[in-house]
Amino acid sequence: YHEDGEIDDVEPGTQAYQRGVRKGWTVESINTRPITAEVPMRSVLSEVLQSKEPIEVMFQVPVDKAASIQVNFPGDGNTGIHLQGNEVAKVEINSTAERRAVKRGWVVE
């Protein structure tokens, strides 16, 4: 990663890779602590890792408006997706949506 939060590589097999983080994304904040020129990612990440608290990372994700992805779910109605309007606001951990790599910010058409 770069100090400005841009992800330049994601190692296969890591938690980040398994959770769908990809090259080209930018970290906006870690545990609500914003990444800025004055407070680079390395210092925020170091502080959070030392605290041993759970880590929540907010990303800015490049969006290709021309891309469409079809995701199929079983008929039990339990997808693991929380919508805000037609946008995915949350994907539950260990849910069908997470296993199918659905991402926060996707728009349901």
Side-chain angles (χ1 to χ4, degrees):
Y1 63 86
H2 298 271
E3 285 300 318
D4 65 359
E6 185 179 343
I7 305 299
D8 57 5
D9 189 31
V10 182
E11 296 270 336
T14 62
Q15 283 188 38
Y17 186 86
Q18 292 169 352
R19 299 217 183 263
V21 176
R22 297 295 178 255
K23 179 180 177 178
W25 290 15
T26 302
V27 175
E28 290 184 336
S29 66
I30 301 174
N31 289 14
T32 71
R33 297 172 182 101
I35 306 302
T36 66
E38 295 78 31
V39 185
M41 190 162 129
R42 184 178 313 276
S43 67
V44 174
L45 190 56
S46 175
E47 179 183 321
V48 169
L49 289 173
Q50 287 178 13
S51 75
K52 304 217 186 284
E53 62 187 278
I55 300 171
E56 178 182 85
V57 181
M58 297 296 293
F59 294 95
Q60 180 180 36
V61 180
V63 178
D64 179 358
K65 298 290 184 186
S68 291
I69 299 171
Q70 179 174 329
V71 181
N72 298 311
F73 294 94
D76 64 6
N78 186 10
T79 63
I81 297 173
H82 296 266
L83 296 174
Q84 187 170 28
N86 66 336
E87 184 173 317
V88 176
K90 179 180 178 183
V91 177
E92 293 177 12
I93 294 174
N94 297 321
S95 67
T96 302
E98 182 185 53
R99 287 189 295 279
R100 288 185 167 78
V102 173
K103 302 294 176 240
R104 203 173 115 241
W106 283 11
V107 176
V108 178
E109 296 179 345

